[in-house]
Amino acid sequence: MTFQSVFRWFGRRGQSTVHQVDQDGQKEFTFRAVALGLIIGCLLCFTNLYFGLQTGWISMMSLQSALIGYLMSKFLPTPITAQENIVLQTTAVATGTMPLAAGFVGILPALGLLEEDRDGTPPVHLSWIASVGWSCAVAFFGVFLSPPIRKQVIIEEQLAFPSGTATAQLISVLHELPPPDTTLRQRRGYTELDTEETLNDELSPVEPTELERLHEAAKPEPEGWSSLTWSFLASGIMTLGAYFFPVIFSVPLFGNYLAKQWLWTFTPSLSYIGQGIIMGFPTTLSMNLGMLVGWGILSPISKHAGWAPGPVGDMTSGARGWILWTSLAIMCSDSLVSLGPVISEIVYKKLLRRSISLEDEEDKEDKEVEPDDRLVPMKWVIWGLSGSVVFGTILVWMVFGNEGIKPWATLVGFVMGGLLSVLGVRALGETDLNPVSGLGKISQLLFAWIQPGNVVANIIAGGVAEAGAQQAGDLMQDLKTGHLIRASPRAQFYGQLIGSFLSIIVTTTAYTLYNRAYQIPGPSFPAPTAYVWLGLARLLRDGDLPEKSNVFMLAFGLFFGLVSAIKTYASQRQRWYAKWIPSGVAFAIGFLNTPSFSIARLIGGVVEYIYYRQVGKENGGIRLIIIASGFVLGEGVVSVISLILRTFGVGVASCWGCAHGMCGGCPS
């Protein structure tokens, strides 16, 4: 069966298997939409797991999923409709983001770092079936939490959700629909966000006057498919070449001494460049500023002052472990301060509800535009939330036992997850940033008080709370897209459930294979966020910090708290310079990862900035997104081939050029 015949088969199945149609009678929840969404989602799942274990950074890729799904549908007898594309990208996102939602890039590696002498418990390494149980425990809570949150933040408050809005506008262009109405009703307490000031500048919604020109840039589908294919192949070939000749991805750019002693290498990965394009220049600039401060200033200071006497790359006694604490302070400070406006808005509404004008009182009537048969029934939500909490608590107890975490503590973790999800979703809706790292830390702080001394319980409970906030936020962007395109929320809900279910198996299997073939955390997959989770849990238990690190934590925490407040203020008032104020989370990521991960992303950010300045988004913006997506997917997918080769004992072909000892697969 040929590639094209497979897609034609999907097309016939999609035409004959219709579970739900939109209000105009168009097919919506179809086999082909879900099948394509699962295919793309599985690719994203491998990609996000691969890069999450390397850098701690993953991407929803909702816009890219919609774009790739549209291109793939050109092989079908009948292209997918806009509503099918919504279901497709919703399913893909639910499938692709499980590595972060279920903690495979942070929680599980952190449990593997436990030390019996220090933590009172040996390292926890879950089997495949235990990992499936853990994933099932946290995979569906955020999905069932989404419908009631959607009602409040999308229908009632009409928050911006800039990335979801951008995806809706892209889909309207691809499917030649009128531009969606993105007018936000002004409410007291906040002003409408200028979505061009968001984190990912290239995802900004376009003006209606640009839609025709943008469509012409996206119109030649064969060229778009060709761009995706060639960028995918280029990245995949380079990745496979780097497996056999590791020096390709570990270039001693500043000489062998800095590479070996101070970890200054360069990874010319096309996928990293693609990620930089997707992140945008302001974000990659913040990341590289953090890299310069962390690895160029604080790392040498801590080493030469004797505060971090071990090898620079050692996470316990070396400079890398020392600057980790400053990174943690920055992330917590930035995330917590960014929640300020959200919390104040909630308090404002509760305390001053009586002062709402008559016009706002009239606005309180139900603004839902979808009929009941296209919405998720509330009884489903109630049963789903109850079942996911009860069965999730039982599964966590079965996996970790009483010594790991008490059932009542897991239950509290789910409650915390629900409360923190509301804060995270509101922050995401207004700023396009979901501060899940800070929300997880809030949960860890609580459990340090209610179950003191138990490092395992602290990490697990934090992971339970973070999973709900992460998943609800990601899915809310998709629901915003569906709302603007008038897709069925119930059809999206089905896609979310199916994608989450499949991703449990895919993510668990992929992580198990990676764990067998590589040391995690280790040279190839350092899993930096695992050290953040474990480090905070230990700090909350015994209060021990590396020498002098508390001074730098306080100074950087206060400074970036102020920076975050200024950035939030400027964003709310639509100031042009808001996006150029450093992002604290991106700055901290520059500390967590070695320079090799940041430099290539800066190249991508610079390419994105120059390209849009010279060409303009309306004359080729979609093609740049296609190429960047191909770069990212190419390495993520071909990494599976590398994993298989390593599993069967196929080693590198040559260690030439690896004298600096920083090449994965080569002896030091």
Side-chain angles (χ1 to χ4, degrees), residues 518-557:
Y518 298 91
Q519 177 186 350
I520 299 178
S524 298
F525 297 99
T529 55
Y531 292 95
V532 176
W533 281 99
L534 181 59
L536 181 59
R538 286 172 172 170
L539 173 64
L540 294 172
R541 182 195 60 191
D542 48 37
D544 290 339
L545 284 170
E547 187 178 359
K548 300 296 182 181
S549 62
N550 57 341
V551 177
F552 287 86
M553 288 177 67
L554 180 62
F556 276 85

Side-chain angles (χ1 to χ4, degrees), residues 52 56 105-113 315 324 459 520-521 526-536 592:
V105 302
I107 301 297
L108 298 190
L111 294 174
L113 290 171
M315 294 295 293
L324 166 71
I459 295 174
I520 299 178
T529 55
Y531 292 95
V532 176
W533 281 99
L534 181 59
L536 181 59
L592 286 181

Side-chain angles (χ1 to χ4, degrees), residues 328-365:
L328 176 61
I330 295 171
M331 283 193 291
C332 290
S333 176
D334 181 85
S335 299
L336 294 177
V337 171
S338 66
L339 286 173
V342 180
I343 297 173
S344 65
E345 173 72 6
I346 295 174
V347 173
Y348 181 90
K349 290 175 183 176
K350 296 296 183 183
L351 297 181
L352 301 181
R353 189 174 296 277
R354 294 182 180 179
S355 65
I356 298 177
S357 65
L358 180 61
E359 179 181 354
D360 283 342
E361 289 287 351
E362 294 175 353
D363 283 346
K364 284 188 174 181
E365 64 184 30

Side-chain angles (χ1 to χ4, degrees), residues 53 125-126 510-521 643:
L53 289 172
H125 299 288
L126 300 184
Y511 181 78
T512 302
L513 292 175
Y514 275 120
N515 217 8
R516 289 177 181 174
Y518 298 91
Q519 177 186 350
I520 299 178
L643 173 63

